[in-house]
């Protein structure tokens, strides 16, 4: 099935995912994110001890690192959603919309995406930024590892919702269409 700007005839709704309305699902996804965050922090501490963040010649350097880390994370959130939007536009030709809720930043579209396209849309930011941040962690001086790795932890744990929908959609029929408005997604399949 190709991506579409309107729902083709013969399709009906089979699933709706709305983390703002479904508190149980929101808690599950946030629990997955927390487990990922803790596991990644432990892995990072094994690779480079956390105290390297504080090894500096001048007393104020940890404050500079903290400011860079926080600013970098805010920029990362925007860039993550921008990548979702770029892929939405690529697969549909429709300009995406961006926004923030009390809990999430989002990219959304009016288009209906086939299963393969939507899985690429969902995973593109975590793959692209994961690679970029991984390279930065490897090439920057050890004292800056945790500045970038903190953002990488946010990249991987913050993508818990993207991982969740990908795993969920892999189990659904091949001909599904996904409409992701940014705050909720609705999945449609051919009526039998």
């Amino acid at each position: 099935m190709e991506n579409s700007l309107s729902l083709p005839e013969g399709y009906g709704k089979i699933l709706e995912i709305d983390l703002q309305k479904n508190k149980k699902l929101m808690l599950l996804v946030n629990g997955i994110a927390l487990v990922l965050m803790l596991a990644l922090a432990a892995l990072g501490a094994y690779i480079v001890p956390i105290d390297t963040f504080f090894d500096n010649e001048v007393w104020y350097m940890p404050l500079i690192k903290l400011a860079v880390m926080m600013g970098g994370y805010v920029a990362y959130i925007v860039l993550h959603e921008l990548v979702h939007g770029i892929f939405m536009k690529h697969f549909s030709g429709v300009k995406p919309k961006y926004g923030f809720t009390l809990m999430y930043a989002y990219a959304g579209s009016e288009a209906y995406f086939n299963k393969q396209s939507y899985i690429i849309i969902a995973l593109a930011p975590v793959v692209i930024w994961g690679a970029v941040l991984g390279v930065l962690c490897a090439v920057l001086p050890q004292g800056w590892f945790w500045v970038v790795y903190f953002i990488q932890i946010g990249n991987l744990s913050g993508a818990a919702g993207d991982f969740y929908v990908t795993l969920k959609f892999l189990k659904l029929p091949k001909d599904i269409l996904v409409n992701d408005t940014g705050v909720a997604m609705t999945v449609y399949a051919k009526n039998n």
Side-chain angles (χ1 to χ4, degrees):
M1 183 61 167
E2 292 299 316
N3 301 313
S4 174
L5 298 181
S6 60
L7 188 63
E9 197 170 314
Y11 270 74
K13 179 167 71 169
I14 62 166
L15 177 67
E16 186 169 17
I17 299 173
D18 186 338
L19 295 181
Q20 292 193 33
K21 289 183 182 174
N22 186 336
K23 301 300 180 199
K24 186 176 177 182
L25 182 57
M26 179 198 61
L27 289 173
L28 173 67
V29 169
N30 286 328
I32 293 167
L34 180 61
V35 168
L36 283 170
M37 187 182 304
L38 294 173
L40 291 165
L43 176 63
Y46 177 76
I47 296 168
V48 176
I50 188 82
D51 61 353
T52 60
F53 182 86
F54 302 101
D55 290 345
N56 299 291
E57 293 178 20
V58 292
W59 67 269
Y60 54 84
M61 188 53 82
L63 296 175
I64 291 172
K65 288 179 180 179
L66 185 61
V68 170
M69 185 169 55
M70 299 311 278
Y73 190 70
V74 169
Y76 160 77
I77 291 169
V78 172
L79 292 170
H80 177 102
E81 295 307 325
L82 185 61
V83 170
H84 280 311
I86 288 168
F87 279 84
M88 286 176 168
K89 172 100 162 105
H90 170 75
F91 287 122
S92 70
V94 176
K95 183 180 177 184
K97 57 182 184 250
Y98 300 94
F100 293 92
T101 67
L102 292 175
M103 297 189 62
Y104 304 103
Y106 66 85
S109 176
E110 297 173 6
Y112 296 84
F113 299 98
N114 66 38
K115 183 176 182 175
Q116 179 181 352
S117 296
Y118 194 78
I119 289 172
I120 293 169
I121 290 166
L123 296 179
V126 74
V127 171
I128 291 169
W129 294 116
V132 169
L133 294 166
V135 168
L136 288 174
C137 283
V139 301
L140 286 174
Q142 192 174 31
W144 284 86
F145 173 85
W146 278 96
V147 173
V148 176
Y149 192 68
F150 171 79
I151 300 168
Q152 181 73 291
I153 289 172
N155 174 48
L156 296 170
S157 65
D162 297 327
F163 295 141
Y164 173 81
V165 297
T166 297
L167 291 174
K168 186 92 171 163
F169 293 173
L170 285 172
K171 298 174 185 175
L172 295 177
K174 184 179 179 181
D175 64 352
I176 64 168
L177 291 173
V178 181
N179 176 246
D180 183 350
T181 62
V183 294
M185 59 187 64
T186 308
V187 182
Y188 301 88
K190 280 186 182 176
N191 296 327
N192 292 332

